[in-house]
């Protein structure tokens, strides 16, 4: 079932984008990548000392022939996010940037105003912006107006495991932006959450904590990969409409005793 | 002169460009990127920028992220 697909001109092998943070060990991370073969791997930047603590992580990621999606995680300001993106572009040699401009400490909700300002500047600088956003329809339209071909609304707050908090808003985004790539980013806990989003027609799922903090991360990574494939297949197959009454699945015509005359 | 590297204040004796600064600090073989005073400095400009007194230098490397 797995087929390559196109995201902004790049051929991607899977609809799962996997985060690399919070695993119990680098080996658990490596096994999770192996068991799920994600289409993109998200990475970040942190201060480096001369001992080179970040180099061993990067050596593992390089073992896989999977494109990376750097993020600006932890940025609360526009200029900070832009500088981080520029550093990420040089280190990871890609124009892709998962743009996070956080506006609230407690929910890690993106700052929509900062997100728009940073998006505009980064697109001007040649970046391919993957905006981490709320499910707000008008914000989505403004991002598209700026040139975003990809939108990444949250399912729910990062790491919360709550799944899709606002089904209505997420359906609206899918219906209103049929030609844009929509990726659910953040808040998923169970593979069924991912399948639900894919059944709604979302193009991909980005997740991290649900895998990294699972009891068996590699096993959970594989479970998410299967759920995403299943949800995509279901969407393409055409899910039946809900109805209020029962319809027998077994034909009743000529069943034994069918309309038998009473003696 | 006094500079700040990744949040830590440090004194260095000689003015030097970024290329030489990274070597002196032990980063010569590391994959890193640099921002000085909140502005990204491209690798191609390492020989052109001389570290100034009170510069705030961020040195970053690949790290896990979601």
């Amino acid at each position: 079932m797995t087929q390559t697909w196109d995201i902004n001109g790049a051929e991607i092998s899977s609809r799962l984008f996997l985060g690399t943070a919070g695993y119990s060990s680098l080996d658990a991370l490596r096994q999770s990548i192996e068991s799920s073969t994600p289409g993109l791997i998200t990475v970040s930047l942190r201060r480096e000392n001369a001992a080179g603590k970040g180099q061993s992580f990067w050596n593992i990621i390089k073992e896989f022939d999977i494109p990376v999606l750097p993020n600006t995680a932890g940025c609360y300001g526009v200029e900070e996010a832009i500088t981080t993106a520029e550093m990420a572009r040089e280190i990871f040699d890609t124009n892709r940037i998962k743009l996070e401009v956080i506006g609230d400490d407690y929910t890690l909700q993106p700052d929509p105003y900062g997100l728009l300002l940073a998006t505009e500047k980064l697109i001007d600088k040649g970046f391919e912006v993957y905006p981490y956003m709320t499910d707000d329809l008008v914000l989505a339209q403004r991002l598209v107006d700026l040139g975003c071909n990809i939108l990444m609304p949250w399912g729910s707050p990062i790491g919360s495991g709550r799944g899709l908090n606002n089904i209505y808003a997420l359906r609206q985004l899918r219906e209103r932006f049929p030609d844009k790539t929509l990726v659910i980013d953040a808040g998923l806990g169970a593979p069924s959450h991912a399948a639900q989003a894919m059944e709604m027609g979302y193009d991909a799922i980005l997740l991290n904590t649900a895998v990294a903090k699972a009891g068996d991360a590699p096993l959970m990574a594989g479970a998410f990969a299967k759920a995403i494939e299943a949800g995509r297949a279901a969407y393409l197959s055409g899910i039946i409409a809900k109805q209020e009454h029962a319809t027998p699945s077994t034909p009743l015509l000529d069943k034994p005793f069918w309309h038998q005359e009473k003696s | 002169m006094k500079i700040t590297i990744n949040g830590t204040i440090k004194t260095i004796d000689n003015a030097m460009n970024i290329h030489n600064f990274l070597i002196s600090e032990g980063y010569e073989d590391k994959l890193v990127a640099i921002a000085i005073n909140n502005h990204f400095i491209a690798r191609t400009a390492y020989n052109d920028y001389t570290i100034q007194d009170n510069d705030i230098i961020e040195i970053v490397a690949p790290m896990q992220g979601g």
Side-chain angles (χ1 to χ4, degrees):
Chain A
M1 170 60 198
T2 302
Q3 294 176 328
T4 58
W5 62 297
D6 183 276
I7 183 165
N8 252 13
E11 194 173 87
I12 300 292
S13 62
S14 163
R15 293 176 183 274
L16 166 63
F17 302 165
L18 188 63
T20 54
Y23 292 78
S24 59
S25 66
L26 288 178
D27 199 44
L29 167 61
R30 177 192 282 113
Q31 291 177 37
S32 297
I33 295 171
E34 288 170 349
S35 67
S36 61
T37 56
L40 288 175
I41 294 175
T42 59
V43 292
S44 193
L45 293 175
R46 286 294 178 270
R47 286 172 168 171
E48 177 75 323
N49 58 28
K53 60 185 178 183
Q55 312 296 316
S56 56
F57 159 71
W58 183 235
N59 287 336
I60 288 176
I61 298 304
K62 284 193 298 184
E63 292 174 11
F64 298 93
D65 186 22
I66 298 174
V68 296
L69 174 60
N71 69 26
T72 63
C75 290
Y76 282 77
V78 172
E79 295 306 320
E80 180 187 2
I82 290 169
T83 302
T84 301
E86 290 178 307
M87 291 193 287
R89 176 160 65 180
E90 182 173 81
I91 282 202
F92 297 112
D93 194 25
T94 177
N95 285 331
R96 292 188 198 96
I97 190 73
K98 176 187 167 184
L99 180 58
E100 295 185 30
V101 183
I102 301 299
D104 179 66
D105 272 337
Y106 187 71
T107 61
L108 297 180
Q109 180 169 333
D111 171 356
Y113 308 104
L115 182 65
L116 287 171
L117 288 170
T119 296
E120 184 172 25
K121 291 185 178 182
L122 287 171
I123 288 177
D124 283 347
K125 290 174 179 282
F127 281 88
E128 182 183 340
V129 176
Y130 290 55
Y132 168 60
M133 54 179 288
T134 61
D135 48 35
D136 187 276
L137 179 64
V138 178
L139 172 60
Q141 184 61 61
R142 296 290 179 266
L143 288 164
V144 168
D145 291 345
L146 290 174
C148 286
N149 292 314
I150 300 155
L151 301 172
M152 300 213 300
W154 64 354
S156 50
I158 295 171
S160 68
R162 295 174 54 85
L164 307 181
N165 254 358
N166 191 338
I167 299 287
Y168 171 79
L170 293 172
R171 282 194 194 283
Q172 286 291 312
L173 290 179
R174 181 67 288 174
E175 289 175 13
R176 297 290 291 275
F177 301 100
D179 301 326
K180 299 301 174 190
T181 298
L182 297 186
V183 181
I184 292 289
D185 179 9
L188 303 192
S192 55
H193 299 152
Q196 183 184 21
M198 296 303 291
E199 288 170 4
M200 290 163 54
Y202 273 73
D203 295 289
I205 303 293
L206 196 162
L207 53 90
N208 190 155
T209 307
V211 168
K213 299 302 182 187
D216 185 329
L219 188 60
M220 184 61 85
F224 265 101
K226 291 171 185 167
I228 289 166
E229 275 199 25
R232 178 66 180 173
Y235 170 71
L236 294 174
S237 302
I239 297 170
I240 66 167
K242 289 180 182 175
Q243 58 185 17
E244 297 299 324
H245 57 275
T247 304
S249 52
T250 303
L252 295 179
L253 187 65
D254 287 336
K255 82 171 190 57
F257 317 112
W258 175 252
H259 287 191
Q260 187 165 246
E261 291 182 0
K262 294 192 171 82
S263 54
Chain B
M1 67 186 152
K2 194 167 66 176
I3 60 174
T4 302
I5 307 173
N6 286 347
T8 300
I9 296 172
K10 183 170 183 171
T11 301
I12 59 173
D13 295 331
N14 303 315
M16 60 184 103
N17 64 31
I18 297 174
H19 174 76
N20 292 332
F21 168 74
L22 288 175
I23 292 173
S24 72
E25 293 294 319
Y27 289 97
E28 66 270 30
D29 298 326
K30 308 293 189 302
L31 178 62
V32 295
I34 306 286
I36 297 183
N37 303 328
N38 300 321
H39 294 290
F40 166 64
I41 307 291
R43 201 173 289 141
T44 52
Y46 282 2
N47 289 326
D48 302 331
Y49 185 92
T50 301
I51 305 288
Q52 312 283 316
D53 193 26
N54 294 318
D55 271 352
I56 298 172
I57 304 169
E58 295 286 338
I59 306 173
V60 298
M63 192 55 65
Q64 293 94 324

